[in-house]
Amino acid sequence: MQFFRDSMLELIFQTSTNLPPDVRQAMSLALKREAPHTQAGQALAIIGENIDMACDDEGPICQDTGFPTFIIKTPVGANQMVMRKLIEEAIAEATRRGKLRPNSVDSITGKNSGNNLGPGTPAYHFEQWEGDEIEVRLILKGGGCENKNIQYSVPCVLDRLGRADRDLDGVRKCILHAVWQAQGQGCAPGALGVCIGSDRAHGYELAKEQLFRPLDDVNANPTLAKLEADIMEEANRIGVGTMGFGGNVSLIGCKIAAANRLPASFFVSVAYDCWAFRRLGVMIDPASGAITRWLYRDPERPVERLVKEGEGFKLTGREIRLTPPLTEEQVRALKVGDVVLINGPLFTGRDALHHYMLHHDLATDLRGQILYHCGPVMIKEGTPPNTRWRTNAAGPTTSIREEPYEADVIKKYGLRGVMGKGGMGKKTLAALTEFGAVYLHAIGGAAQYYARCLPKVTGVDLLDELGVPEAMWHFEARDFVAIVTMDAHGNSLHEDVSQSTGDKLEEVGVGKG
Ligand code: SF4
């Protein structure tokens, strides 16, 4: 097993930076299905560029490099304890090299372990099989989409869809509801792994396992194959679209398993994965630990680029240039749908920082500034005393988590903008109106694209206390593109899309049973 650690390191590198061909193909089709001038089309153009950049530069596709889950099949006699140890070494090394963000947080103390290791991290599922080789599959699933997983206990009554019974139509309604409730918060277009039946815990596990199926395979069970095809067609008619901006593509895959259940229980468990659907696998020689073959890839088929030379996201000249600090007048002039280009200071702040901001006073003056919901991947370069930070990945995180804090944070610190992805709720919308601020939507997962818009790090607060992703990073932004989706006049694109897609959900989902 001399090469096993390096093989695992390569598997982690490739999974984090290079989307598998089936996902690329699905995203390429999504790009073709949206008109370039629409918000969904513009978002997909940025996503496409981001996917290509990540592969070219071997940088993480998304700054949230996800929770690592390994599924490992071993021949009789393979030493699982050695494998665990070498995988953990590979994870720590991948973190050190900036291919994984330090993402493992102690749930009691809130302390980030700094190397992606800790109780329960990573997750392993070992299975013995008749094969001669070791098969290792890895999925890196981020928090934004993980938070949109959902489990239904049928019969139940669903918003917009009414009763879901214990039959296939009830299951269909639950899955459509799962797509609708996610809106853009899980970085649509997404892929679903579904389990019908089992118990609560195993149902989720089996649902996640479905995500290991290639997007273009066909279910061996004809009933489930039909359900998968129906969901793909129906869910894409609901119109959630890329990032929840509205559009033709909400789902790039739906894979369903059925498992036996107790007579008293009937769960439908849904694992939602985002467009940054990072999973790969390798076959390993058990003697040397070397990779003998990649799974999901065809050696004959070169990596398909998403965006051709000269294409991709294009500025129209109608973008509004923002240079913080912003005045109230500037901000009140913005309206939903405006595309902005930010040049100047930008400060990050996410979950732990929002909590901190309300319980302490920050030394940094944020009046007129934009707070960016982002936990970047940062790399320290050079040797002391000449070290500097480099931004390795810096897309937005899901803003709705800050909903309990944001209105108070805007008021206390005099912010003129908050920026993230997926939109925010009524309390924040009211604060934007009252205090004169806007919500800006950056494109979820576009971590490489946005890292290039943050070429200069001018400072960092609370790094030791909060760790890399949660610290407040001070950047100098250059042509950072975002869309106004909630303005200072009470308008919210997210509320509008939620309403219109709810109407569509009703139309598509009801009356088939
Ligand atoms: S693409 Fe979006 S949901 Fe997926 S890991 Fe990145 S931020 Fe999270």
Side-chain angles (χ1 to χ4, degrees):
M1 292 289 275
Q2 181 191 358
F3 301 114
F4 189 75
R5 175 188 172 279
D6 288 350
S7 299
M8 292 301 98
L9 194 55
E10 186 59 18
L11 174 63
I12 296 164
F13 271 32
Q14 289 295 320
T15 309
S16 177
T17 61
N18 190 352
L19 278 186
D22 57 328
V23 180
R24 280 175 182 275
Q25 194 178 24
M27 290 305 290
S28 168
L29 286 175
L31 261 158
K32 291 185 183 107
R33 286 190 60 195
E34 301 291 3
H37 63 276
T38 59
Q39 283 160 350
Q42 289 176 321
L44 276 169
I46 289 179
I47 288 171
E49 281 191 43
N50 182 75
I51 293 170
D52 290 341
M53 285 171 176
C55 183
D56 291 345
D57 295 351
E58 297 183 345
I61 295 161
C62 177
Q63 77 290 334
D64 183 351
T65 55
F67 188 87
T69 301
F70 290 87
I71 299 200
I72 305 167
K73 293 183 179 152
T74 59
V76 176
N79 189 329
Q80 297 180 2
M81 286 176 296
V82 168
M83 280 183 235
R84 275 176 192 262
K85 185 174 161 291
L86 295 174
I87 285 175
E88 286 175 12
E89 281 179 25
I91 283 191
E93 179 62 14
T95 312
R96 199 185 63 74
R97 294 204 209 167
K99 308 296 178 188
L100 294 178
R101 183 178 72 181
N103 251 0
S104 180
V105 175
D106 185 307
S107 293
I108 312 241
T109 63
K111 189 94 187 141
N112 193 316
S113 70
N115 61 2
N116 272 306
L117 301 175
T121 319
Y124 303 99
H125 300 276
F126 279 99
E127 201 182 301
Q128 216 164 47
W129 71 341
E130 298 286 352
D132 296 331
E133 292 188 302
I134 300 168
E135 180 190 281
V136 185
R137 292 177 195 250
L138 168 65
I139 190 165
L140 298 172
K141 190 167 182 298
C145 54
E146 185 67 13
N147 290 348
K148 298 320 289 184
N149 290 356
I150 189 164
Q151 191 170 59
Y152 302 88
S153 174
V154 285
C156 60
V157 176
L158 300 169
D159 203 12
R160 295 289 194 147
L161 291 171
R163 199 182 64 236
D165 295 317
R166 288 185 166 191
D167 56 21
L168 276 186
D169 191 58
V171 171
R172 183 184 70 87
K173 282 183 178 171
C174 291
I175 302 173
L176 291 175
H177 184 270
V179 175
W180 180 66
Q181 61 87 39
Q183 289 289 308
Q185 290 170 14
C187 289
L192 305 182
V194 180
C195 174
I196 308 170
S198 193
D199 68 2
R200 278 199 187 277
H202 197 45
Y204 261 138
E205 219 172 283
L206 292 172
K208 194 167 186 179
E209 263 179 32
Q210 287 298 299
L211 295 172
F212 283 95
R213 283 174 51 198
L215 288 177
D216 46 10
D217 78 350
V218 177
N219 202 313
N221 178 322
T223 306
L224 295 181
K226 178 169 182 330
L227 185 58
E228 288 173 359
D230 287 351
I231 294 288
M232 286 302 292
E233 193 270 319
E234 291 176 1
N236 281 324
R237 270 164 49 206
I238 296 172
V240 170
T242 300
M243 291 297 130
F245 290 162
N248 300 319
V249 188
S250 307
L251 262 197
I252 54 171
C254 176
K255 303 290 163 192
I256 307 174
N260 283 15
R261 60 182 172 82
L262 291 168
S265 310
F266 195 134
F267 298 111
V268 180
S269 310
V270 183
Y272 187 103
D273 210 333
C274 51
W275 67 259
F277 185 2
R278 292 152 292 176
R279 56 112 171 80
L280 273 177
V282 284
M283 300 303 293
I284 299 279
D285 171 12
S288 66
I291 295 172
T292 59
R293 179 163 68 86
W294 284 87
L295 304 173
Y296 303 103
R297 287 179 172 173
D298 178 353
E300 307 295 315
R301 196 170 147 191
V303 169
E304 181 185 354
R305 291 188 77 76
L306 271 283
V307 176
K308 294 197 186 75
E309 192 76 30
E311 293 182 358
F313 178 73
K314 290 210 174 57
L315 297 178
T316 62
R318 290 190 298 277
E319 295 79 16
I320 297 166
R321 293 191 170 266
L322 298 180
T323 308
L326 306 174
T327 64
E328 179 170 356
E329 194 188 358
Q330 276 177 305
V331 162
R332 289 209 185 266
L334 295 170
K335 54 187 189 318
V336 163
D338 286 342
V339 178
V340 301
L341 281 181
I342 304 164
N343 283 279
L346 197 57
F347 301 87
T348 65
R350 44 178 285 163
D351 310 60
L353 190 85
H354 277 74
H355 182 269
Y356 185 96
M357 287 168 94
L358 290 185
H359 292 84
H360 306 81
D361 291 323
L362 282 184
T364 304
D365 182 2
L366 290 177
R367 275 171 299 172
Q369 301 295 346
I370 298 168
L371 188 64
Y372 180 27
H373 301 157
C374 168
V377 180
M378 304 297 293
I379 296 183
K380 201 176 211 173
E381 294 178 323
T383 44
N386 298 314
T387 56
R388 60 182 280 274
W389 288 100
R390 179 168 63 80
T391 313
N392 200 30
T397 192
T398 314
S399 300
I400 196 71
R401 296 196 310 273
E402 318 315 338
E403 181 66 11
Y405 305 103
E406 205 69 86
D408 296 328
V409 165
I410 290 168
K411 182 179 176 189
K412 179 172 174 183
Y413 290 92
L415 293 171
R416 289 281 171 223
V418 286
M419 179 162 67
K421 54 115 172 159
M424 302 197 70
K426 287 191 183 323
K427 203 174 150 204
T428 301
L429 188 60
L432 298 179
T433 310
E434 185 179 351
F435 303 114
V438 283
Y439 176 80
L440 303 169
H441 201 300
I443 307 308
Q448 290 303 312
Y449 186 92
Y450 284 125
R452 285 157 180 75
C453 302
L454 301 171
K456 198 166 163 199
V457 182
T458 54
V460 58
D461 294 335
L462 302 165
L463 181 58
D464 292 340
E465 294 87 339
L466 304 182
V468 169
E470 301 281 351
M472 182 191 242
W473 293 91
H474 305 201
F475 291 117
E476 195 67 25
R478 193 173 61 203
D479 288 345
F480 192 111
V481 67
I483 300 172
V484 179
T485 56
M486 294 166 69
D487 64 24
H489 306 286
N491 302 306
S492 165
L493 174 76
H494 309 285
E495 279 191 2
D496 295 348
V497 173
S498 177
Q499 183 63 35
S500 64
T501 54
D503 295 344
K504 274 275 177 208
L505 175 70
E506 247 175 76
E507 198 181 302
V508 170
V510 180
K512 248 190 118 179

